[in-house]
Amino acid sequence: MSAAGASIGVITFPGSLDDGDARRAVRRAGATPVALWHADADLHGVDAVIVPGGFSYGDYLRCGAIAKFAPVMTEVLRAAEHGMPVLGVCNGFQVLCEAGLLPGALTRNAGLHYVCRDQWLRAENTTSTWTTRYEPGAELLIPVKHGEGRYVAEESTLDELEGEGRVLFRYVEDNPNGSSRDIAGVTDARGRVAGLMPHPEHAIDPLTGPTDDGLGMFLSALDTLVPA
Amino acid sequence: MARVVVDVMPKEEILDPQGQAVANALPRQGFEGVSHVRQGKHFELEVADDVDDDTLERIAENFLANPVIEDWSVRRVES
């Protein structure tokens, strides 16, 4: 199977914003992007799924709280249970936490301000499906843009995440949202479901982003989907 | 029909920057003596008589509140 033979679905909810860039990132990495619609309980045979950023269902109630009940999410939960790689970015990370695929929750930024800037991250876990292309400790420059990105969880959950090496990325230099232990992204116990607040899909091409540091996440997943 | 009120509050240990912002704004308006504000959500539900307490609890726990970060209470009020 060639890389182009791998397909990655990108969900569009009402209010999604970054589905277009996520599909572009998938294409740039060499796979085929497949648009998935929130109301459609069908993953159309994709090999992996990306839940993109934006304001799904207007972020009413809580960010991601309504999106988790979308018909397509029922299918994502089922597929994830069987090991399908799933990536949630920003609002997608919030959706995956609300849906229980990832632990913790994202709350209002400590400084109350919406933060939009290029942010340095450090790769902590480089064995998950979405991060194998990074060197341990590598620093990446990737945009963040969110008002509710402060990662919180019970202390015991945070200890468990640290102990099992499930913190994917940490903010370096300046934590944009007051996130616990500077956590920018985490993965599930199997390393297949990943969520992060920064936007790797906005950093795949120096022409349109600060760097191409985000492309590694999509290439990492393709390595798994396309056995060498 | 019955009226049900669900109150959802950030857990005590969860930072509530919105509540803090409200508390910090009060002295600027001349209101002294308010040392602490927590901001939450208040839901009023009109429900059919056959909706039982267990169902209401599940609505609150699984949807209106996020148990990771919020506490909630459910009460029926006189309609």
Side-chain angles (χ1 to χ4, degrees), chain A residues 108 112, chain B residues 8-12 14-23 36-42 69-71:
Chain A
R108 183 77 58 148
L112 283 175
Chain B
V8 176
M9 293 296 293
K11 284 184 177 177
E12 276 305 317
I14 297 286
L15 180 69
D16 175 21
Q18 294 181 102
Q20 288 177 352
V22 173
H36 196 62
V37 175
R38 304 281 289 173
Q39 179 175 323
K41 297 187 186 115
H42 174 93
I69 50 173
E70 293 167 327
D71 294 322

Side-chain angles (χ1 to χ4, degrees), chain A residues 169-189:
Chain A
F169 299 105
R170 244 184 268 271
Y171 301 114
V172 293
E173 292 179 7
D174 193 9
N175 182 333
N177 50 41
S179 179
S180 300
R181 306 188 191 187
D182 298 330
I183 290 172
V186 299
T187 184
D188 72 337

Side-chain angles (χ1 to χ4, degrees), chain A residues 89-90 109 114-121 141-147 149 171 174-177 184 196-200 202-203 210:
Chain A
V89 176
C90 196
N109 291 354
Y114 188 97
V115 177
C116 180
R117 69 181 190 215
D118 297 333
Q119 172 72 44
W120 284 101
L121 309 176
L141 185 62
I142 286 182
V144 292
K145 46 166 196 168
H146 59 251
Y171 301 114
D174 193 9
N175 182 333
N177 50 41
L196 76 167
M197 287 311 297
H199 289 265
H202 292 335

